[in-house]
Amino acid sequence: MIPEQVEEDLQIERNSAGASALANHAIASSTVRESLVTFKFGGSSLLGAKRILHAASLVRPAAQRMQVVVVVSAMKGVTDRLLEIAQVLSECKRQRALSEAEAVLRLHLDVLRDLELEPDEHDRVARELNSLGCDLLHEVSARQQRRSSSAVAELFDRLASYGERFSARLLAAALEHSGVAAVPVSSSEFVLTCETFRDAKPHLEQTRLRGRDVLLPLLADGIVPVVTGFIGATPDGRITTLGRNSSDFSGAIIAHVVDADELVIWTDVDGIYTANPNESAHAQLLHDLSYDDAHSLALSGAKVLHPHVLPLAEETEMTVWVRNTFNPHARGTRIGPVPISVGAQHCCAPVSKEPA
């Protein structure tokens, strides 16, 4: 089980470069960790430097006790902005699209500045962000020709993928600064999908084989991979996305790839409720659910998790937690293989959580 208590101080200490190096070495060379957990952070959990540092402070104590893989969404609102850029481009309004793309890059550079990294760290990550930004700007400024509907869908996926790629670099930098060895990893390196752009289906067994080659060596070296959610690639390397709000599913895929014992979905609510507490005074937080319980809630219309998460978790008997990034001392909701009935509460729906 993941530790339910996290560090009291949610601000990441400002280590000197030497202290960071010592901490990295200490974590990487500590005793072999017997369990493996996947943390997935949604867009609200990563909105701005303060929240990214807070997310890093949740990963750090876990990384000292076990192996950790992190899966990230784009910062809240960024995917919508990128899709708007794609829409504007499809209408041949290139200058407007270019201006908005430049604003998206500036947004992430501003967050990097607010992380207050050491100068060398800042410069390295700035180069990575600017390199990504140059790729984004090149996509936008390329000479536009009339595109087929399939080509437009492919463009939408390429542009939408930049949010997670920016996000992964920022969180990996925050982790490194806190003394946790971490590297950003693009899931398009190993998540193999069909060619249905904007709603691609992953080929799970091939993804698992490819992903283990990428992720297991990092884990063996005591490094936390910070993996992009939402995106994959066709067999010939073209970027795809798994559909809107699919980062929970991405988390389950990555957890499946590395045989994680648990998947922790860090979101902006305390867990799964019997009803929306904003609408019902009788809403109760559900602490434990079996896979069948959670599936029944989903069938009743509750937005518990992405619909593909539970089947994949049940297949591997993986425990899934839904926990609140902003209230990390709350236990959250556990979904697991032990059948724990919620009785008459089945007919009710949980509070809506942040987009995955």
Side-chain angles (χ1 to χ4, degrees):
M1 165 154 327
I2 63 164
E4 291 184 3
Q5 297 298 316
V6 297
E7 293 176 320
E8 296 274 338
D9 182 8
L10 298 179
Q11 289 295 325
I12 296 177
E13 58 269 36
R14 295 330 194 223
N15 295 321
S16 66
S20 294
L22 287 173
N24 286 347
H25 177 75
I27 290 173
S29 61
S30 61
T31 57
V32 175
R33 296 173 283 276
E34 296 181 355
S35 57
L36 197 160
V37 64
T38 298
F39 280 4
K40 182 264 172 181
F41 289 101
S44 293
S45 300
L46 300 172
L47 182 57
K50 184 177 180 180
R51 293 185 180 184
I52 289 173
L53 290 169
H54 174 43
S57 77
L58 298 176
V59 175
R60 186 173 187 270
Q64 293 172 324
R65 295 174 174 86
M66 62 189 78
Q67 293 179 315
V68 181
V69 179
V70 176
V71 180
V72 295
S73 298
M75 290 195 301
K76 184 177 180 179
V78 168
T79 300
D80 287 337
R81 294 178 69 173
L82 291 165
L83 290 174
E84 178 62 22
I85 291 170
Q87 181 61 41
V88 168
L89 273 181
S90 71
E91 299 167 359
C92 299
K93 299 175 182 177
R94 186 170 58 175
Q95 192 56 47
R96 179 180 163 192
L98 187 59
S99 177
E100 181 60 19
E102 290 170 344
V104 168
L105 173 58
R106 285 197 304 272
L107 169 67
H108 291 89
L109 290 172
D110 288 344
V111 171
L112 172 61
R113 179 200 63 215
D114 293 340
L115 289 177
E116 298 182 0
L117 306 181
E118 297 297 328
D120 288 348
E121 293 178 291
H122 176 278
D123 291 347
R124 174 181 59 80
V125 181
R127 286 194 296 272
E128 294 176 4
L129 295 181
N130 277 308
S131 178
L132 265 181
C134 285
D135 291 342
L136 172 61
L137 295 174
H138 176 74
E139 291 272 11
V140 172
S141 61
R143 188 175 186 83
Q144 301 298 308
Q145 299 177 343
R146 184 172 295 277
R147 299 174 185 267
S148 66
S149 59
S150 61
V152 169
E154 186 175 344
L155 173 67
F156 270 67
D157 274 5
R158 284 204 310 276
L159 294 181
S161 73
Y162 282 92
E164 276 73 11
R165 293 153 74 186
F166 281 127
S167 186
R169 281 159 177 79
L170 289 170
L171 183 55
L175 284 168
E176 284 274 327
H177 189 58
S178 74
V180 178
V183 294
V185 177
S186 177
S187 54
S188 61
E189 292 182 31
F190 62 87
V191 175
L192 190 67
T193 75
C194 68
E195 297 183 6
T196 305
F197 295 98
R198 307 193 72 179
D199 190 22
K201 301 298 183 288
H203 302 304
L204 288 177
E205 285 312 307
Q206 291 167 285
T207 293
R208 177 178 163 82
L209 291 173
R210 290 156 56 116
R212 291 175 74 81
D213 286 343
V214 173
L215 299 177
L216 294 188
L218 296 173
L219 292 169
D221 288 340
I223 298 171
V224 173
V226 181
V227 186
T228 56
F230 183 50
I231 62 177
T234 62
D236 60 357
R238 290 174 292 160
I239 294 288
T240 58
T241 66
L242 306 182
R244 291 307 306 270
N245 302 325
S246 64
S247 289
D248 284 355
F249 183 33
S250 296
I253 292 171
I254 305 309
H256 171 67
V257 164
V258 297
D259 290 326
D261 303 290
E262 299 187 342
L263 167 63
V264 185
I265 295 176
W266 291 100
T267 181
D268 56 4
V269 293
D270 282 346
I272 297 171
Y273 285 80
T274 59
N276 189 331
N278 297 322
E279 300 174 357
S280 172
H282 302 292
Q284 294 180 331
L285 178 64
L286 300 173
H287 294 292
D288 291 280
L289 295 171
S290 70
Y291 300 124
D292 286 343
D293 292 332
H295 185 61
S296 296
L297 282 167
L299 288 177
S300 70
K303 296 180 180 179
V304 181
L305 294 169
H306 187 284
H308 296 321
V309 171
L310 291 173
L312 189 53
E314 185 172 12
E315 178 185 334
T316 59
E317 296 191 340
M318 176 178 23
T319 298
V320 179
W321 290 85
V322 179
R323 298 186 62 190
N324 192 341
T325 309
F326 311 111
N327 186 20
H329 294 285
R331 178 180 184 271
T333 299
R334 174 190 179 275
I335 304 170
V338 179
I340 303 172
S341 177
V342 295
Q345 298 172 341
H346 273 194
C347 63
C348 303
V351 64
S352 297
K353 65 183 186 68
E354 65 174 318

